Amino acid sequence: MKFTLNKKDKKTAARRGTLVTPHGTIETPIFMPVGTHAAMKAMTPVQVKETGAQIILSNTYHLHLRPGEELVAKAGGLHSFMAWDGPILTDSGGFQVFSLPNKRITEEGAYFKHEVSGEEVFLDPARAIAIQEALGADIIMAFDECIPYPCDRKYAAKSTRKTLRWAEQCKKAQTRKDQALFGIVQGSVFEDLRAMCAKELVQMDFPGYAIGGVSVGEGLDLLKKVVEYTAPYLPENKPRYLMGVGLPEDILESVERGMDMFDCVIPTRYARSATLFTNRGKIRLTNRKYRRDFYPIEPNCTCYACRNFTRAYIHHLFNANEVLSAILASIHNVHFYLNMMAEIRRAIEEGRFADYKREFLESYLKGA
Amino acid sequence: MKFTLNKKDKKTAARRGTLVTPHGTIETPIFMPVGTHAAMKAMTPVQVKETGAQIILSNTYHLHLRPGEELVAKAGGLHSFMAWDGPILTDSGGFQVFSLPNKRITEEGAYFKHEVSGEEVFLDPARAIAIQEALGADIIMAFDECIPYPCDRKYAAKSTRKTLRWAEQCKKAQTRKDQALFGIVQGSVFEDLRAMCAKELVQMDFPGYAIGGVSVGEGLDLLKKVVEYTAPYLPENKPRYLMGVGLPEDILESVERGMDMFDCVIPTRYARSATLFTNRGKIRLTNRKYRRDFYPIEPNCTCYACRNFTRAYIHHLFNANEVLSAILASIHNVHFYLNMMAEIRRAIEEGRFADYKREFLESYLKGA
């Protein structure tokens, strides 16, 4: 994997890069739509590609439980199994395990209950890597402990040191040379812990770095702070991935602070509950005021949904409980995110990222 | 609307025709996928077109209740509202009203409760035509009383005469000249009533004729009989539509007896419950034996699902409750039906329909 930094913004830390992977080239900053079970929710791979997606994310935890990495490997790996020929990133399962109610996390790894069979499952750095090697994504993630928020300093420090030991173990466990393993910076909201974690990881020399644990309830102000004091410790010539983020405003603030890659279930999850993104903020399409609204979701949008259907029609689909409502809304929301990323890239190239961000947010936050 | 009979099979009553409508040409025999609420379930119009669909059906009853024909008309009619630029047929609502538990049918029309608002709704021939004119389909249907099965001769005779009076009223109510109004033959399983109804309708001179009331539980043997003794009363130079039918074997038997058009929710409904059609019969994809089956649903099929995905993958999608399971299964099943219709047309053209039917059923029924 090769990362090239094409341009740095003069006024902010925003960066414009190119990441070459075995399954294709990714222009950064980029948003990665999430296909948890080796499938985007309510979209075919062709529709995902049409939204402008360059790379998608899938979840190791879910695929390990069902259908199991062995079956995916037998199918020829994740790309072949799900018919997505572009780049894929898999997370390590750390975040999902952390979200479970009955997990038990030790020095060695995490124990939890299989949500289908009820059996106890054990995940540790070596197994997380082995699973991700069987799945075969282009970018794989280190197994980390995602720290709950809020969290006291003592636990955060202890946990961050464990994440570092696990990162080392992940590196050692890696056998495939065609997958790029990213290290994950933890440290909760403590600046010195984030700095320590970043520095130690950089010592280990990963091909890319992620900031984890910022999508678990801190809010935009803390997110900005964490990114602001963590990103400078990450090497300039490596991609930087902010995990699980976020809303358009979160992404803009994080690009400004030097982040390159993002993923989030928000565009597809919101779509299924009729919340659509537009340049004038989010709209709730089930609202009665859209019953006779014969405009597209977003008049300037070029997605399949906006080129062909009206708000009135999609409002009707949601009312009638038609699956097509989720399909069209998902296409639009994912396209909205990826179009925003394309605009961000163009703005950085043309040296006007700060203006773009201001103008976007003025319109977006006023309308919301 | 213009119907041309291109070829008649020598051994059977099967026919190969061409039907020209304001929104395009339909090659018959043809199957019409059903988009009840002005939407195909789990498919975009582009995906519907890719399955080979030439005409789709939408339901007057459902659209009258939600979103209402007035709104559809304001959107520019059904084609524009749902972004389907090909031919559309709307039923009259008669069958749906008949299926309701608390309807009241009089000489004038049918009273029933609005399933959303709870208000009493009244539908009669004039209103059924006015609604269908507002919706703007290419082919519209007369408002009929669909007779329950089994039914005594006395009620069937009375009801059939009412359907004939209503057909006359529908003809009088029609104001648009760009829509083809089809008459519907009722008469339950009584040969003389079917004959009487067909002859009377032919006297009224409709541009097309349907046989109704055969999809309500009679089974294949009675279906064959009803079609066999009804079709000969219908004029050769007009299209013949068998309403609500059916399974592949039902369609083949009915084509053999001279029917041209079919519609049914089976391919999409079965798809959503993981029942897939193949040349070797139906398969239930949630069955554990497909867990590691890396073949397509149907190895010779050219649909998007079969070109890109394995049974193992779609089995996984159903297990994981992913919407994509319904999307891919619907694409396959609708494609299977439309591919069968294309094969039927070719077989008739080449004078080998009886052989085609025998070979298809041998493989299909043996495998099931």
mmCIF file of all heavy atoms in Angstrom, chain A residues 37-39 41 45-47 66-67 71 75 81-83 291 294 304 309 313 316 319 322, chain B residues 37-39 41 45-47 66-67 71 75 81-83 291 304 309 313 316 319 322:
data_model
loop_
_atom_site.group_PDB
_atom_site.id
_atom_site.type_symbol
_atom_site.label_atom_id
_atom_site.label_comp_id
_atom_site.label_asym_id
_atom_site.label_seq_id
_atom_site.Cartn_x
_atom_site.Cartn_y
_atom_site.Cartn_z
ATOM 1 N N HIS A 37 -22.470 -6.780 7.501
ATOM 2 C CA HIS A 37 -22.505 -8.231 7.262
ATOM 3 C C HIS A 37 -22.040 -8.580 5.850
ATOM 4 O O HIS A 37 -22.652 -9.414 5.181
ATOM 5 C CB HIS A 37 -23.931 -8.767 7.445
ATOM 6 C CG HIS A 37 -24.474 -8.622 8.831
ATOM 7 N ND1 HIS A 37 -25.446 -7.692 9.149
ATOM 8 C CD2 HIS A 37 -24.197 -9.273 9.984
ATOM 9 C CE1 HIS A 37 -25.747 -7.789 10.437
ATOM 10 N NE2 HIS A 37 -25.008 -8.741 10.963
ATOM 11 N N ALA A 38 -20.997 -7.921 5.365
ATOM 12 C CA ALA A 38 -20.541 -8.138 3.986
ATOM 13 C C ALA A 38 -21.638 -7.756 3.008
ATOM 14 O O ALA A 38 -21.798 -8.371 1.954
ATOM 15 C CB ALA A 38 -20.087 -9.587 3.751
ATOM 16 N N ALA A 39 -22.405 -6.727 3.371
ATOM 17 C CA ALA A 39 -23.459 -6.219 2.500
ATOM 18 C C ALA A 39 -23.817 -4.818 2.959
ATOM 19 O O ALA A 39 -23.984 -4.588 4.155
ATOM 20 C CB ALA A 39 -24.706 -7.106 2.566
ATOM 21 N N LYS A 41 -26.456 -2.047 3.610
ATOM 22 C CA LYS A 41 -27.879 -2.192 3.898
ATOM 23 C C LYS A 41 -28.705 -1.558 2.775
ATOM 24 O O LYS A 41 -28.552 -0.389 2.455
ATOM 25 C CB LYS A 41 -28.215 -1.562 5.245
ATOM 26 C CG LYS A 41 -27.535 -2.321 6.383
ATOM 27 C CD LYS A 41 -28.378 -2.356 7.647
ATOM 28 C CE LYS A 41 -27.630 -3.071 8.754
ATOM 29 N NZ LYS A 41 -27.382 -4.501 8.497
ATOM 30 N N PRO A 45 -23.984 -3.793 -4.690
ATOM 31 C CA PRO A 45 -22.648 -3.232 -4.928
ATOM 32 C C PRO A 45 -22.624 -2.242 -6.094
ATOM 33 O O PRO A 45 -21.904 -1.239 -6.035
ATOM 34 C CB PRO A 45 -21.804 -4.472 -5.243
ATOM 35 C CG PRO A 45 -22.498 -5.596 -4.550
ATOM 36 C CD PRO A 45 -23.956 -5.268 -4.607
ATOM 37 N N VAL A 46 -23.401 -2.500 -7.141
ATOM 38 C CA VAL A 46 -23.461 -1.568 -8.275
ATOM 39 C C VAL A 46 -24.001 -0.213 -7.823
ATOM 40 O O VAL A 46 -23.473 0.838 -8.200
ATOM 41 C CB VAL A 46 -24.341 -2.153 -9.408
ATOM 42 C CG1 VAL A 46 -24.689 -1.084 -10.439
ATOM 43 C CG2 VAL A 46 -23.637 -3.324 -10.082
ATOM 44 N N GLN A 47 -25.027 -0.231 -7.008
ATOM 45 C CA GLN A 47 -25.594 1.025 -6.504
ATOM 46 C C GLN A 47 -24.601 1.734 -5.589
ATOM 47 O O GLN A 47 -24.502 2.963 -5.605
ATOM 48 C CB GLN A 47 -26.921 0.752 -5.776
ATOM 49 C CG GLN A 47 -28.049 0.388 -6.741
ATOM 50 C CD GLN A 47 -29.285 -0.154 -6.038
ATOM 51 O OE1 GLN A 47 -29.193 -0.701 -4.938
ATOM 52 N NE2 GLN A 47 -30.430 -0.031 -6.673
ATOM 53 N N ARG A 66 -20.946 -14.797 11.872
ATOM 54 C CA ARG A 66 -21.838 -15.237 10.794
ATOM 55 C C ARG A 66 -21.435 -14.575 9.505
ATOM 56 O O ARG A 66 -21.471 -13.359 9.469
ATOM 57 C CB ARG A 66 -23.287 -14.881 11.170
ATOM 58 C CG ARG A 66 -24.322 -15.494 10.283
ATOM 59 C CD ARG A 66 -25.708 -15.369 10.861
ATOM 60 N NE ARG A 66 -26.000 -14.012 11.321
ATOM 61 C CZ ARG A 66 -27.058 -13.687 12.070
ATOM 62 N NH1 ARG A 66 -27.900 -14.597 12.459
ATOM 63 N NH2 ARG A 66 -27.272 -12.444 12.428
ATOM 64 N N PRO A 67 -21.023 -15.254 8.469
ATOM 65 C CA PRO A 67 -21.031 -16.713 8.293
ATOM 66 C C PRO A 67 -19.744 -17.387 8.768
ATOM 67 O O PRO A 67 -19.617 -18.591 8.599
ATOM 68 C CB PRO A 67 -21.148 -16.852 6.783
ATOM 69 C CG PRO A 67 -20.377 -15.690 6.255
ATOM 70 C CD PRO A 67 -20.571 -14.568 7.249
ATOM 71 N N LEU A 71 -15.704 -19.650 5.915
ATOM 72 C CA LEU A 71 -16.594 -19.715 4.749
ATOM 73 C C LEU A 71 -16.283 -18.588 3.761
ATOM 74 O O LEU A 71 -16.259 -18.793 2.550
ATOM 75 C CB LEU A 71 -18.059 -19.648 5.199
ATOM 76 C CG LEU A 71 -19.049 -19.885 4.065
ATOM 77 C CD1 LEU A 71 -20.077 -20.926 4.458
ATOM 78 C CD2 LEU A 71 -19.740 -18.604 3.630
ATOM 79 N N ALA A 75 -15.038 -18.866 -0.102
ATOM 80 C CA ALA A 75 -15.710 -18.182 -1.218
ATOM 81 C C ALA A 75 -14.727 -17.338 -2.023
ATOM 82 O O ALA A 75 -15.113 -16.668 -2.976
ATOM 83 C CB ALA A 75 -16.842 -17.301 -0.685
ATOM 84 N N PHE A 81 -16.848 -12.803 -2.241
ATOM 85 C CA PHE A 81 -18.075 -13.201 -1.538
ATOM 86 C C PHE A 81 -19.179 -12.170 -1.728
ATOM 87 O O PHE A 81 -20.321 -12.506 -2.033
ATOM 88 C CB PHE A 81 -17.753 -13.374 -0.049
ATOM 89 C CG PHE A 81 -18.865 -13.929 0.796
ATOM 90 C CD1 PHE A 81 -19.487 -15.126 0.465
ATOM 91 C CD2 PHE A 81 -19.277 -13.263 1.946
ATOM 92 C CE1 PHE A 81 -20.499 -15.658 1.269
ATOM 93 C CE2 PHE A 81 -20.282 -13.781 2.752
ATOM 94 C CZ PHE A 81 -20.898 -14.980 2.415
ATOM 95 N N MET A 82 -18.851 -10.883 -1.557
ATOM 96 C CA MET A 82 -19.870 -9.843 -1.623
ATOM 97 C C MET A 82 -19.896 -9.115 -2.960
ATOM 98 O O MET A 82 -20.664 -8.169 -3.131
ATOM 99 C CB MET A 82 -19.700 -8.863 -0.466
ATOM 100 C CG MET A 82 -18.459 -7.987 -0.536
ATOM 101 S SD MET A 82 -18.232 -6.969 0.983
ATOM 102 C CE MET A 82 -19.649 -5.858 0.869
ATOM 103 N N ALA A 83 -19.079 -9.562 -3.919
ATOM 104 C CA ALA A 83 -19.064 -8.973 -5.261
ATOM 105 C C ALA A 83 -18.750 -7.471 -5.245
ATOM 106 O O ALA A 83 -19.348 -6.679 -5.966
ATOM 107 C CB ALA A 83 -20.371 -9.235 -6.008
ATOM 108 N N ARG A 291 -45.741 15.617 1.650
ATOM 109 C CA ARG A 291 -46.753 14.823 0.945
ATOM 110 C C ARG A 291 -46.965 15.291 -0.492
ATOM 111 O O ARG A 291 -47.137 14.494 -1.396
ATOM 112 C CB ARG A 291 -48.064 14.924 1.737
ATOM 113 C CG ARG A 291 -49.121 13.951 1.279
ATOM 114 C CD ARG A 291 -50.348 13.985 2.183
ATOM 115 N NE ARG A 291 -51.563 13.982 1.370
ATOM 116 C CZ ARG A 291 -51.959 12.951 0.631
ATOM 117 N NH1 ARG A 291 -51.264 11.842 0.623
ATOM 118 N NH2 ARG A 291 -53.063 13.030 -0.106
ATOM 119 N N PHE A 294 -43.139 18.097 -4.857
ATOM 120 C CA PHE A 294 -42.722 17.423 -6.093
ATOM 121 C C PHE A 294 -41.290 17.774 -6.521
ATOM 122 O O PHE A 294 -40.924 17.608 -7.677
ATOM 123 C CB PHE A 294 -43.744 17.672 -7.211
ATOM 124 C CG PHE A 294 -45.104 17.091 -6.891
ATOM 125 C CD1 PHE A 294 -46.193 17.915 -6.607
ATOM 126 C CD2 PHE A 294 -45.279 15.712 -6.828
ATOM 127 C CE1 PHE A 294 -47.433 17.375 -6.286
ATOM 128 C CE2 PHE A 294 -46.511 15.156 -6.512
ATOM 129 C CZ PHE A 294 -47.594 15.995 -6.234
ATOM 130 N N TYR A 304 -29.193 8.688 -8.171
ATOM 131 C CA TYR A 304 -30.307 8.021 -8.858
ATOM 132 C C TYR A 304 -31.658 8.434 -8.265
ATOM 133 O O TYR A 304 -32.629 8.678 -8.999
ATOM 134 C CB TYR A 304 -30.128 6.497 -8.762
ATOM 135 C CG TYR A 304 -31.301 5.719 -9.302
ATOM 136 C CD1 TYR A 304 -31.566 5.689 -10.663
ATOM 137 C CD2 TYR A 304 -32.148 5.021 -8.449
ATOM 138 C CE1 TYR A 304 -32.652 4.972 -11.172
ATOM 139 C CE2 TYR A 304 -33.225 4.302 -8.946
ATOM 140 C CZ TYR A 304 -33.471 4.285 -10.303
ATOM 141 O OH TYR A 304 -34.546 3.583 -10.792
ATOM 142 N N PHE A 309 -36.921 10.688 -8.743
ATOM 143 C CA PHE A 309 -38.079 10.636 -7.848
ATOM 144 C C PHE A 309 -38.256 11.937 -7.062
ATOM 145 O O PHE A 309 -37.295 12.653 -6.827
ATOM 146 C CB PHE A 309 -37.941 9.463 -6.876
ATOM 147 C CG PHE A 309 -37.738 8.141 -7.563
ATOM 148 C CD1 PHE A 309 -36.461 7.634 -7.759
ATOM 149 C CD2 PHE A 309 -38.822 7.420 -8.043
ATOM 150 C CE1 PHE A 309 -36.263 6.414 -8.410
ATOM 151 C CE2 PHE A 309 -38.647 6.214 -8.696
ATOM 152 C CZ PHE A 309 -37.366 5.706 -8.886
ATOM 153 N N TYR A 313 -43.061 11.228 -3.705
ATOM 154 C CA TYR A 313 -43.058 9.790 -3.992
ATOM 155 C C TYR A 313 -42.383 9.011 -2.866
ATOM 156 O O TYR A 313 -42.906 8.010 -2.385
ATOM 157 C CB TYR A 313 -42.351 9.523 -5.323
ATOM 158 C CG TYR A 313 -42.289 8.055 -5.678
ATOM 159 C CD1 TYR A 313 -43.452 7.350 -5.997
ATOM 160 C CD2 TYR A 313 -41.084 7.364 -5.688
ATOM 161 C CE1 TYR A 313 -43.413 6.004 -6.315
ATOM 162 C CE2 TYR A 313 -41.032 6.013 -6.009
ATOM 163 C CZ TYR A 313 -42.195 5.336 -6.319
ATOM 164 O OH TYR A 313 -42.149 4.002 -6.633
ATOM 165 N N HIS A 316 -44.443 8.868 0.128
ATOM 166 C CA HIS A 316 -45.458 7.817 -0.070
ATOM 167 C C HIS A 316 -44.866 6.427 0.202
ATOM 168 O O HIS A 316 -45.498 5.598 0.875
ATOM 169 C CB HIS A 316 -46.016 7.911 -1.501
ATOM 170 C CG HIS A 316 -46.667 6.660 -1.990
ATOM 171 N ND1 HIS A 316 -47.845 6.179 -1.459
ATOM 172 C CD2 HIS A 316 -46.296 5.771 -2.952
ATOM 173 C CE1 HIS A 316 -48.169 5.046 -2.075
ATOM 174 N NE2 HIS A 316 -47.247 4.771 -2.985
ATOM 175 N N ASN A 319 -44.548 5.849 3.870
ATOM 176 C CA ASN A 319 -45.879 5.645 4.440
ATOM 177 C C ASN A 319 -46.409 4.252 4.146
ATOM 178 O O ASN A 319 -47.076 3.640 4.968
ATOM 179 C CB ASN A 319 -46.863 6.659 3.844
ATOM 180 C CG ASN A 319 -46.961 7.890 4.711
ATOM 181 O OD1 ASN A 319 -46.376 7.943 5.793
ATOM 182 N ND2 ASN A 319 -47.695 8.875 4.241
ATOM 183 N N GLU A 322 -42.773 0.554 1.996
ATOM 184 C CA GLU A 322 -42.137 -0.112 0.867
ATOM 185 C C GLU A 322 -40.618 -0.120 1.038
ATOM 186 O O GLU A 322 -40.023 0.909 1.354
ATOM 187 C CB GLU A 322 -42.494 0.613 -0.441
ATOM 188 C CG GLU A 322 -43.897 0.323 -0.952
ATOM 189 C CD GLU A 322 -44.027 -1.088 -1.529
ATOM 190 O OE1 GLU A 322 -43.012 -1.669 -1.952
ATOM 191 O OE2 GLU A 322 -45.161 -1.597 -1.538
ATOM 192 N N HIS B 37 -48.086 -0.613 -4.574
ATOM 193 C CA HIS B 37 -48.157 0.793 -4.142
ATOM 194 C C HIS B 37 -47.367 1.707 -5.076
ATOM 195 O O HIS B 37 -46.632 2.583 -4.617
ATOM 196 C CB HIS B 37 -47.588 0.950 -2.725
ATOM 197 C CG HIS B 37 -48.339 0.202 -1.670
ATOM 198 N ND1 HIS B 37 -47.839 -0.934 -1.076
ATOM 199 C CD2 HIS B 37 -49.549 0.419 -1.103
ATOM 200 C CE1 HIS B 37 -48.709 -1.379 -0.176
ATOM 201 N NE2 HIS B 37 -49.753 -0.573 -0.174
ATOM 202 N N ALA B 38 -47.467 1.504 -6.383
ATOM 203 C CA ALA B 38 -46.676 2.294 -7.338
ATOM 204 C C ALA B 38 -45.185 2.092 -7.083
ATOM 205 O O ALA B 38 -44.380 3.008 -7.236
ATOM 206 C CB ALA B 38 -47.031 3.786 -7.269
ATOM 207 N N ALA B 39 -44.831 0.880 -6.678
ATOM 208 C CA ALA B 39 -43.425 0.523 -6.448
ATOM 209 C C ALA B 39 -43.325 -0.986 -6.458
ATOM 210 O O ALA B 39 -44.141 -1.666 -5.833
ATOM 211 C CB ALA B 39 -42.943 1.058 -5.092
ATOM 212 N N LYS B 41 -41.755 -4.251 -5.070
ATOM 213 C CA LYS B 41 -41.199 -4.507 -3.751
ATOM 214 C C LYS B 41 -39.712 -4.836 -3.872
ATOM 215 O O LYS B 41 -39.315 -5.768 -4.567
ATOM 216 C CB LYS B 41 -41.941 -5.649 -3.064
ATOM 217 C CG LYS B 41 -43.382 -5.251 -2.768
ATOM 218 C CD LYS B 41 -43.906 -5.825 -1.456
ATOM 219 C CE LYS B 41 -45.358 -5.444 -1.253
ATOM 220 N NZ LYS B 41 -45.599 -4.000 -1.059
ATOM 221 N N PRO B 45 -36.959 0.858 -10.439
ATOM 222 C CA PRO B 45 -37.442 0.698 -11.820
ATOM 223 C C PRO B 45 -36.343 0.225 -12.772
ATOM 224 O O PRO B 45 -36.611 -0.566 -13.677
ATOM 225 C CB PRO B 45 -37.928 2.098 -12.185
ATOM 226 C CG PRO B 45 -38.297 2.725 -10.888
ATOM 227 C CD PRO B 45 -37.333 2.168 -9.882
ATOM 228 N N VAL B 46 -35.113 0.680 -12.571
ATOM 229 C CA VAL B 46 -34.009 0.248 -13.427
ATOM 230 C C VAL B 46 -33.786 -1.258 -13.281
ATOM 231 O O VAL B 46 -33.590 -1.975 -14.270
ATOM 232 C CB VAL B 46 -32.713 1.017 -13.070
ATOM 233 C CG1 VAL B 46 -31.489 0.362 -13.697
ATOM 234 C CG2 VAL B 46 -32.817 2.466 -13.527
ATOM 235 N N GLN B 47 -33.836 -1.738 -12.055
ATOM 236 C CA GLN B 47 -33.662 -3.180 -11.830
ATOM 237 C C GLN B 47 -34.826 -3.975 -12.418
ATOM 238 O O GLN B 47 -34.635 -5.056 -12.959
ATOM 239 C CB GLN B 47 -33.518 -3.467 -10.324
ATOM 240 C CG GLN B 47 -32.179 -2.994 -9.761
ATOM 241 C CD GLN B 47 -32.124 -2.989 -8.244
ATOM 242 O OE1 GLN B 47 -33.145 -2.865 -7.584
ATOM 243 N NE2 GLN B 47 -30.934 -3.095 -7.688
ATOM 244 N N ARG B 66 -53.984 5.377 -0.717
ATOM 245 C CA ARG B 66 -52.708 6.009 -0.374
ATOM 246 C C ARG B 66 -51.767 5.939 -1.563
ATOM 247 O O ARG B 66 -51.448 4.839 -1.980
ATOM 248 C CB ARG B 66 -52.096 5.267 0.839
ATOM 249 C CG ARG B 66 -50.876 5.925 1.414
ATOM 250 C CD ARG B 66 -50.527 5.356 2.778
ATOM 251 N NE ARG B 66 -50.447 3.897 2.740
ATOM 252 C CZ ARG B 66 -50.375 3.117 3.832
ATOM 253 N NH1 ARG B 66 -50.404 3.658 5.025
ATOM 254 N NH2 ARG B 66 -50.275 1.810 3.736
ATOM 255 N N PRO B 67 -51.329 7.016 -2.140
ATOM 256 C CA PRO B 67 -51.469 8.409 -1.685
ATOM 257 C C PRO B 67 -52.717 9.102 -2.217
ATOM 258 O O PRO B 67 -52.916 10.279 -1.947
ATOM 259 C CB PRO B 67 -50.231 9.063 -2.290
ATOM 260 C CG PRO B 67 -50.037 8.360 -3.585
ATOM 261 C CD PRO B 67 -50.478 6.936 -3.351
ATOM 262 N N LEU B 71 -53.236 13.001 -5.994
ATOM 263 C CA LEU B 71 -51.813 13.304 -5.844
ATOM 264 C C LEU B 71 -50.991 12.698 -6.981
ATOM 265 O O LEU B 71 -50.087 13.338 -7.517
ATOM 266 C CB LEU B 71 -51.310 12.793 -4.487
ATOM 267 C CG LEU B 71 -49.882 13.246 -4.162
ATOM 268 C CD1 LEU B 71 -49.819 13.832 -2.759
ATOM 269 C CD2 LEU B 71 -48.883 12.121 -4.295
ATOM 270 N N ALA B 75 -48.709 14.628 -9.754
ATOM 271 C CA ALA B 75 -47.300 14.283 -10.016
ATOM 272 C C ALA B 75 -47.065 14.002 -11.497
ATOM 273 O O ALA B 75 -45.950 13.664 -11.890
ATOM 274 C CB ALA B 75 -46.904 13.070 -9.180
ATOM 275 N N PHE B 81 -44.788 9.528 -11.594
ATOM 276 C CA PHE B 81 -44.713 9.409 -10.131
ATOM 277 C C PHE B 81 -43.718 8.331 -9.720
ATOM 278 O O PHE B 81 -42.874 8.536 -8.855
ATOM 279 C CB PHE B 81 -46.114 9.084 -9.591
ATOM 280 C CG PHE B 81 -46.250 9.064 -8.094
ATOM 281 C CD1 PHE B 81 -45.872 10.162 -7.325
ATOM 282 C CD2 PHE B 81 -46.794 7.959 -7.448
ATOM 283 C CE1 PHE B 81 -46.022 10.152 -5.937
ATOM 284 C CE2 PHE B 81 -46.944 7.939 -6.065
ATOM 285 C CZ PHE B 81 -46.559 9.037 -5.313
ATOM 286 N N MET B 82 -43.794 7.173 -10.380
ATOM 287 C CA MET B 82 -42.951 6.051 -9.976
ATOM 288 C C MET B 82 -41.734 5.852 -10.869
ATOM 289 O O MET B 82 -40.968 4.898 -10.669
ATOM 290 C CB MET B 82 -43.774 4.760 -9.905
ATOM 291 C CG MET B 82 -44.282 4.235 -11.228
ATOM 292 S SD MET B 82 -45.391 2.778 -11.032
ATOM 293 C CE MET B 82 -44.243 1.548 -10.383
ATOM 294 N N ALA B 83 -41.526 6.774 -11.821
ATOM 295 C CA ALA B 83 -40.366 6.728 -12.714
ATOM 296 C C ALA B 83 -40.275 5.424 -13.504
ATOM 297 O O ALA B 83 -39.202 4.846 -13.668
ATOM 298 C CB ALA B 83 -39.058 6.990 -11.942
ATOM 299 N N ARG B 291 -25.595 -23.387 2.771
ATOM 300 C CA ARG B 291 -24.606 -22.605 3.509
ATOM 301 C C ARG B 291 -23.251 -22.546 2.807
ATOM 302 O O ARG B 291 -22.602 -21.508 2.780
ATOM 303 C CB ARG B 291 -24.439 -23.234 4.903
ATOM 304 C CG ARG B 291 -23.678 -22.364 5.869
ATOM 305 C CD ARG B 291 -23.663 -22.995 7.265
ATOM 306 N NE ARG B 291 -22.313 -22.943 7.820
ATOM 307 C CZ ARG B 291 -21.675 -21.820 8.147
ATOM 308 N NH1 ARG B 291 -22.263 -20.653 7.981
ATOM 309 N NH2 ARG B 291 -20.450 -21.864 8.622
ATOM 310 N N TYR B 304 -28.750 -10.249 -12.591
ATOM 311 C CA TYR B 304 -27.691 -9.603 -11.805
ATOM 312 C C TYR B 304 -27.294 -10.454 -10.597
ATOM 313 O O TYR B 304 -26.101 -10.587 -10.280
ATOM 314 C CB TYR B 304 -28.170 -8.222 -11.340
ATOM 315 C CG TYR B 304 -27.223 -7.530 -10.392
ATOM 316 C CD1 TYR B 304 -25.999 -7.041 -10.840
ATOM 317 C CD2 TYR B 304 -27.536 -7.390 -9.046
ATOM 318 C CE1 TYR B 304 -25.114 -6.418 -9.968
ATOM 319 C CE2 TYR B 304 -26.657 -6.767 -8.164
ATOM 320 C CZ TYR B 304 -25.446 -6.285 -8.632
ATOM 321 O OH TYR B 304 -24.581 -5.680 -7.759
ATOM 322 N N PHE B 309 -23.432 -13.353 -7.488
ATOM 323 C CA PHE B 309 -23.477 -13.862 -6.119
ATOM 324 C C PHE B 309 -23.744 -15.367 -6.075
ATOM 325 O O PHE B 309 -24.344 -15.922 -6.987
ATOM 326 C CB PHE B 309 -24.556 -13.128 -5.322
ATOM 327 C CG PHE B 309 -24.390 -11.635 -5.332
ATOM 328 C CD1 PHE B 309 -25.074 -10.852 -6.255
ATOM 329 C CD2 PHE B 309 -23.520 -11.015 -4.444
ATOM 330 C CE1 PHE B 309 -24.904 -9.471 -6.284
ATOM 331 C CE2 PHE B 309 -23.349 -9.639 -4.465
ATOM 332 C CZ PHE B 309 -24.037 -8.862 -5.385
ATOM 333 N N TYR B 313 -23.759 -16.891 -0.375
ATOM 334 C CA TYR B 313 -23.814 -15.477 0.006
ATOM 335 C C TYR B 313 -25.249 -15.054 0.304
ATOM 336 O O TYR B 313 -25.512 -14.412 1.331
ATOM 337 C CB TYR B 313 -23.228 -14.610 -1.110
ATOM 338 C CG TYR B 313 -23.267 -13.126 -0.791
ATOM 339 C CD1 TYR B 313 -22.474 -12.591 0.215
ATOM 340 C CD2 TYR B 313 -24.113 -12.269 -1.495
ATOM 341 C CE1 TYR B 313 -22.517 -11.242 0.519
ATOM 342 C CE2 TYR B 313 -24.158 -10.913 -1.206
ATOM 343 C CZ TYR B 313 -23.361 -10.405 -0.193
ATOM 344 O OH TYR B 313 -23.412 -9.069 0.103
ATOM 345 N N HIS B 316 -26.451 -16.422 3.463
ATOM 346 C CA HIS B 316 -25.918 -15.585 4.552
ATOM 347 C C HIS B 316 -26.746 -14.308 4.722
ATOM 348 O O HIS B 316 -27.072 -13.921 5.847
ATOM 349 C CB HIS B 316 -24.444 -15.257 4.270
ATOM 350 C CG HIS B 316 -23.923 -14.063 4.998
ATOM 351 N ND1 HIS B 316 -23.735 -14.041 6.362
ATOM 352 C CD2 HIS B 316 -23.571 -12.828 4.553
ATOM 353 C CE1 HIS B 316 -23.290 -12.852 6.724
ATOM 354 N NE2 HIS B 316 -23.175 -12.098 5.647
ATOM 355 N N ASN B 319 -29.949 -15.075 6.468
ATOM 356 C CA ASN B 319 -29.667 -15.348 7.879
ATOM 357 C C ASN B 319 -29.394 -14.073 8.656
ATOM 358 O O ASN B 319 -29.770 -13.953 9.813
ATOM 359 C CB ASN B 319 -28.424 -16.235 7.990
ATOM 360 C CG ASN B 319 -28.810 -17.688 8.039
ATOM 361 O OD1 ASN B 319 -29.994 -18.016 8.100
ATOM 362 N ND2 ASN B 319 -27.819 -18.552 8.008
ATOM 363 N N GLU B 322 -30.502 -9.225 6.097
ATOM 364 C CA GLU B 322 -30.111 -8.075 5.287
ATOM 365 C C GLU B 322 -31.133 -7.831 4.167
ATOM 366 O O GLU B 322 -31.534 -8.769 3.471
ATOM 367 C CB GLU B 322 -28.732 -8.318 4.665
ATOM 368 C CG GLU B 322 -27.574 -8.130 5.627
ATOM 369 C CD GLU B 322 -27.314 -6.660 5.965
ATOM 370 O OE1 GLU B 322 -27.696 -5.785 5.174
ATOM 371 O OE2 GLU B 322 -26.731 -6.403 7.035
#
